[in-house]
Amino acid sequence: MGEELKVIVFALANEEYGIEVDKVRTVERMAPITRVPKTPPFVKGVMNLRGVVVPVIDLKGRFGLKETEPTEQSRIIVVAVNDMEVGFIVDAANDVTDIDEDAIDQPPEVVGGIKAKYLRGIAKLDDRLLIMLNLSEVLNKNEIVQLEQMEA
């Protein structure tokens, strides 16, 4: 048995994804987002989270999937990446589950249209597959620099 990983399960375009709980700061309902000029289209802007300005990106847009209007179930998952907080807009944040580290396989080249570099692997749970995100790739260095300038 490998180590147990606690992950937050969220939905995006009919697929289920996971982010390790220790990288997640908070899960919020949709909130007002202020647009910021000269950012990539998937960067929706910034939000005020208890006095902290947090950049918000649409994960569907980031992965090249068709973006949709937020619904009642939509959530913003605020994660910490390299000492910076970023909000991800997702279709729904469903639950928290434990995954055995050994149950995570290498991702195929493309999963659901998403390049493997954004993925840490695929976790096999009893009756479903969970796509594990590689957060450092989802936010690559250049984008982090852009987002840090937004925070300033």
Side-chain angles (χ1 to χ4, degrees):
M1 288 288 286
E3 248 182 82
E4 284 281 300
L5 270 188
K6 260 206 182 332
V7 295
I8 288 192
V9 178
F10 66 92
L12 207 59
N14 302 324
E15 298 283 351
E16 285 191 310
Y17 294 81
I19 297 179
E20 291 94 335
V21 167
D22 62 3
K23 294 191 172 69
V24 175
R25 288 275 185 266
T26 176
V27 177
E28 302 287 326
R29 293 184 172 278
M30 290 303 292
I33 296 171
T34 306
R35 281 290 304 146
V36 177
K38 297 191 177 89
T39 54
F42 61 82
V43 176
K44 293 304 166 202
V46 293
M47 68 186 248
N48 181 342
L49 184 64
R50 293 180 273 290
V52 178
V53 175
V54 177
V56 177
I57 69 174
D58 189 318
L59 268 189
K60 283 187 190 162
R62 176 69 183 101
F63 294 154
L65 303 170
K66 184 179 178 321
E67 290 183 32
T68 53
E69 284 301 307
T71 66
E72 269 298 299
Q73 275 70 49
S74 297
R75 295 289 180 267
I76 298 174
I77 299 179
V78 180
V79 298
V81 183
N82 306 334
D83 296 333
M84 190 180 89
E85 294 189 357
V86 179
F88 292 148
I89 298 174
V90 301
D91 292 339
N94 303 329
D95 56 358
V96 175
T97 189
D98 290 319
I99 295 178
D100 188 326
E101 203 50 92
D102 296 340
I104 301 175
D105 292 337
Q106 285 301 309
E109 270 316 294
V110 173
V111 176
I114 299 169
K115 292 188 192 73
K117 72 172 185 168
Y118 297 137
L119 308 178
R120 179 176 159 199
I122 307 283
K124 291 192 290 284
L125 304 177
D126 302 330
D127 52 352
R128 59 193 205 195
L129 293 177
L130 200 59
I131 302 167
M132 300 294 296
L133 290 190
N134 175 349
L135 287 184
S136 54
E137 274 305 326
V138 171
L139 295 171
N140 69 32
K141 291 282 181 274
N142 305 345
E143 283 156 8
I144 288 174
V145 168
Q146 265 186 321
L147 293 174
E148 279 171 346
Q149 289 164 347
M150 284 169 59
E151 280 189 333

